[in-house]
Amino acid sequence: MNLTLKIWRQSNAKVQGKMVDYKINNVSPDMSFLEMLDVLNNELIEKGDDPVAFDHDCREGICGMCSLFINGEAHGPDRGITTCQLHMRKFKDGDTIYIEPFRAKAFPVIKDLVVDRTAFDKIQHAGGFVSVNTSGNTQDANAIPIPKHDADRAFDAATCIGCGACVATCKNSSAMLFVSAKVSQFALLPQGKVEAADRVLNMVAEMDALGFGNCTNTGACEVECPKGISLENIARMNREYLKASLK
């Protein structure tokens, strides 16, 4: 395939970026999207040009780093996948592909297609954990009975990889789906109920302080989420927040 790529180039966070056109030929439909970008970067390096900066790590749909906005969609024109799992067979010969970083106030651009998602780490630090005192006769977690339905829902929420597709897709740049997944994975388990009130209050407060927008129930976040995190988690987090606020 021969393609035209329109890629956002921005040398650092302090300068204004712009879309730059690139031609790339002989792209195999079996390549992943990131492999295609690797080929482009090899060509740029050979010409002495600056390669396109983009985030990646595992390339197995696990780490959530490969966060690109492709033709107006987070992770591109497929469902239930990350960018590294997107294959070029989803495009046609002669296509023009627009590639941008995730756009959100809380995700400032570092360079080109790389954004700073430290905001998610700060939300996690605010309460996305369970405190355990390991001294004395602490009960083994595996010895605590958990209904299968609750365990399954907690596991489903825990599959969130923190890629930020929900934020990039939301018209308000809301992080509600991410935060609700992190709240739900503990709220559904007995180990997480001890700190449940402090957890949801602190994580929501941190989310608001970092400049994420509010949820207006558009539902785009669930559609674009590579792990299919359900909107039910947002409803659960709202209930947890209301309960904690009343206490």
Side-chain angles (χ1 to χ4, degrees):
M1 295 188 296
N2 299 327
L3 304 168
T4 298
L5 307 178
K6 292 181 176 291
I7 303 178
W8 183 261
R9 300 303 307 264
Q10 184 174 339
S11 57
N12 59 64
K14 297 181 180 180
V15 302
Q16 185 174 357
K18 63 179 181 179
M19 300 297 287
V20 178
D21 291 3
Y22 297 97
K23 298 287 187 180
I24 184 168
N25 301 321
N26 301 318
V27 174
S28 168
D30 295 324
M31 282 182 179
S32 73
F33 199 86
L34 297 190
E35 287 172 335
M36 181 273 295
L37 290 179
D38 289 337
V39 171
L40 173 66
N41 278 343
N42 286 337
E43 293 178 359
L44 293 176
I45 291 170
E46 288 176 1
K47 295 177 182 177
D49 295 335
D50 188 29
V52 178
F54 62 92
D55 252 338
H56 63 94
D57 190 6
C58 73
R59 299 204 178 196
E60 295 179 344
I62 298 172
C63 70
M65 292 185 66
C66 57
S67 302
L68 300 181
F69 216 61
I70 304 166
N71 285 348
E73 296 183 83
H75 296 300
D78 206 348
R79 294 293 175 264
I81 63 162
T82 51
T83 302
C84 63
Q85 296 172 304
L86 176 66
H87 286 84
M88 298 311 296
R89 65 179 71 97
K90 282 291 180 179
F91 304 92
K92 298 177 182 178
D93 183 36
D95 274 358
T96 297
I97 304 175
Y98 290 80
I99 311 170
E100 303 173 76
F102 281 0
R103 307 286 190 179
K105 178 183 177 182
F107 289 168
V109 174
I110 297 174
K111 182 178 180 180
D112 295 341
L113 305 175
V114 181
V115 299
D116 184 356
R117 287 173 295 163
T118 305
F120 271 8
D121 295 330
K122 292 179 179 178
I123 293 173
Q124 280 284 82
H125 293 164
F129 53 84
V130 172
S131 300
V132 178
N133 183 359
T134 57
S135 62
N137 298 320
T138 302
Q139 185 177 8
D140 192 306
N142 292 332
I144 302 174
I146 302 172
K148 186 179 186 305
H149 183 59
D150 290 344
D152 287 345
R153 288 186 297 165
F155 185 82
D156 288 343
T159 59
C160 170
I161 56 177
C163 67
C166 51
V167 176
T169 300
C170 178
K171 63 181 181 180
N172 307 317
S173 296
S174 172
M176 288 283 277
L177 193 66
F178 166 76
V179 179
S180 67
K182 299 307 175 184
V183 167
S184 290
Q185 72 182 69
F186 295 118
L188 289 162
L189 301 176
Q191 295 93 331
K193 294 189 184 301
V194 177
E195 299 169 297
D198 289 340
R199 177 181 301 108
V200 69
L201 291 174
N202 292 340
M203 293 183 76
V204 170
E206 187 67 19
M207 174 184 67
D208 292 341
L210 290 167
F212 290 102
N214 292 320
C215 174
T216 50
N217 294 317
T218 304
C221 54
E222 181 180 5
V223 173
E224 298 289 356
C225 176
K227 298 302 177 181
I229 302 299
S230 173
L231 288 175
E232 291 180 1
N233 291 296
I234 296 179
R236 183 178 298 107
M237 185 182 75
N238 287 337
R239 292 194 299 271
E240 291 285 326
Y241 185 84
L242 178 60
K243 185 167 60 176
S245 300
L246 293 174
K247 287 182 179 180

